[in-house]
Amino acid sequence: MGRSAMKRLLVAAAGLALSVCLSFAPAIAAYPERPITLIVPWGAGGGTDSVARMIASLLERDLGQPVAVVNRTGGQGVVGHQAIADATPDGYTIGLLTVEIAMMHWQGLTKLDPASYTPLALVNEDPAGLQVRADAPYKTAKDVIDDVTKSPGKYKASGTAQGGIWHLALAGMLTSLKVQPTAVPWVPSNGAAPGLQDLVAGGVQIVTCSLPEARALIEAGRVKSLAVMATERSKLMPDVPTLKEATGSDWTIGAWRGVAGPKGLPKEVTDRLIPALKKAYDSKAYQDFLSSRGFGGRWAEGAAFGAFMTEADASLGKVMKEVGLAK
């Protein structure tokens, strides 16, 4: 056999061997090929936890893999948000961010901010409402503002901890109406529920919190809501006017929740997760869940969710500086 013939034979043999190897090589698995963890920065049983568990159950159906919800609490939300940011950016650990990610760094609690993540989808927002006792003499939100302006310091408010989202709702509302936030002293509470109980008992005269949180007492005829701090009226209580309708103020604010991953998620991961999240959000199961809880739906995906967080960060930072809560 000549040298050229031998060379042709060797090349052919090598090609055959390569084709045999490739035929037996395992195919590269498409994401996801194993279970996913969804981190929640707040405790089990709360609103954020319930949203996360509903989203997780719907993602499982579409992705074909288990999605385990893990509660990582502590540090006023810092621990869980840090765990999401520190995860390996492979799509197997994601989490549910909350409005606090646009607040905590202003308070000096962490260096994390919205830019620390890969935004996937905003799935919920509950605007703040302005609540008073049912037997209060006020018929409109403007009546409340007029009284506060005439008698600064006389009326107290509550709804969350000092510097929490509902405290900022009140401060931003007053500032937008050219009233000093200090005109209504804030009484810290462990949440909307104890703040509302204090309202009913007469310890405070105003509570800023979401309509779903005030729903039970409103329906019981013990509390009334005079305005919602949103661009549109709430589907839960369509008779409650927006703050702009009631006072002329453009101030809007709400507690929101959105799914994100650590910074640097690969495109093939985001291209799979975002459509799956959209399918979950649009599903009858999720929309019925929101309605039954009185939660507000709001959708924004990818870069749009990132822009939403950036805007929230700037707005909340401005208010926190005005009331002396930013460091």
Side-chain angles (χ1 to χ4, degrees):
M1 182 182 295
R3 182 174 296 178
S4 60
M6 177 63 74
K7 186 175 181 180
R8 287 194 298 273
L9 180 62
L10 290 173
V11 169
L16 177 62
L18 178 60
S19 66
V20 170
C21 288
L22 289 175
S23 67
F24 284 97
I28 298 175
Y31 170 86
E33 58 178 334
R34 53 188 171 85
I36 296 169
T37 296
L38 178 64
I39 293 174
V40 178
W42 307 99
T48 300
D49 180 68
S50 64
V51 169
R53 292 181 188 278
M54 176 55 68
I55 289 291
S57 69
L58 295 170
L59 282 179
E60 284 182 349
R61 300 178 193 177
D62 191 41
L63 298 178
Q65 292 289 348
V67 180
V69 174
V70 176
N71 301 90
R72 294 289 300 276
T73 62
Q76 300 179 54
V78 172
V79 171
H81 283 94
Q82 188 70 58
I84 300 167
D86 288 345
T88 302
D90 57 7
Y92 290 101
T93 298
I94 55 179
L96 198 65
L97 305 185
T98 60
V99 64
E100 283 77 14
I101 195 58
M103 298 164 58
M104 296 185 296
H105 70 98
W106 293 110
Q107 297 167 296
L109 299 175
T110 178
K111 292 183 180 179
L112 295 172
D113 63 20
S116 304
Y117 305 89
T118 299
L120 295 171
L122 175 67
V123 295
N124 158 246
E125 184 182 32
D126 297 315
L130 175 65
Q131 278 70 239
V132 297
R133 276 172 51 135
D135 60 359
Y138 312 117
K139 293 184 178 180
T140 68
K142 187 176 183 303
D143 294 338
V144 176
I145 299 302
D146 288 344
D147 252 9
V148 166
T149 304
K150 293 173 186 174
S151 306
K154 180 179 178 180
Y155 304 99
K156 298 177 182 177
S158 189
T160 188
Q162 185 84 6
I165 184 63
W166 303 138
H167 182 195
L168 298 185
L170 176 74
M173 178 189 73
L174 293 174
T175 299
S176 72
L177 293 165
K178 303 190 185 311
V179 178
Q180 286 295 321
T182 53
V184 183
W186 187 259
V187 178
S189 68
N190 289 325
L196 287 162
Q197 289 299 329
D198 200 12
L199 174 68
V200 171
V204 298
Q205 292 71 46
I206 299 169
V207 163
T208 40
C209 68
S210 70
L211 295 185
E213 290 170 314
R215 181 181 188 177
L217 287 172
I218 292 173
E219 291 178 346
R222 304 179 72 186
V223 168
K224 59 184 176 183
S225 186
L226 299 178
V228 61
M229 302 177 200
T231 56
E232 297 179 352
R233 294 192 180 199
S234 168
K235 292 180 181 178
L236 177 64
M237 298 180 188
D239 291 337
V240 178
T242 66
L243 187 66
K244 185 173 181 61
E245 289 174 326
T247 68
S249 170
D250 289 319
W251 172 249
T252 61
I253 190 172
W256 50 261
R257 304 170 177 107
V259 182
K263 198 169 184 178
L265 281 185
K267 186 175 185 297
E268 58 267 27
V269 171
T270 60
D271 284 351
R272 184 71 179 93
L273 283 176
I274 291 176
L277 286 164
K278 178 61 172 170
K279 184 176 179 180
Y281 179 86
D282 287 338
S283 71
K284 183 178 185 300
Y286 186 67
Q287 293 302 317
D288 286 349
F289 162 77
L290 292 177
S291 297
S292 68
R293 296 296 187 98
F295 291 163
R298 181 158 181 175
W299 174 262
E301 65 182 59
F305 176 33
F308 171 88
M309 288 196 289
T310 299
E311 183 178 344
D313 185 73
S315 177
L316 292 171
K318 180 180 179 182
V319 175
M320 293 177 80
K321 290 176 182 177
E322 289 171 347
V323 297
L325 292 170
K327 292 185 178 181

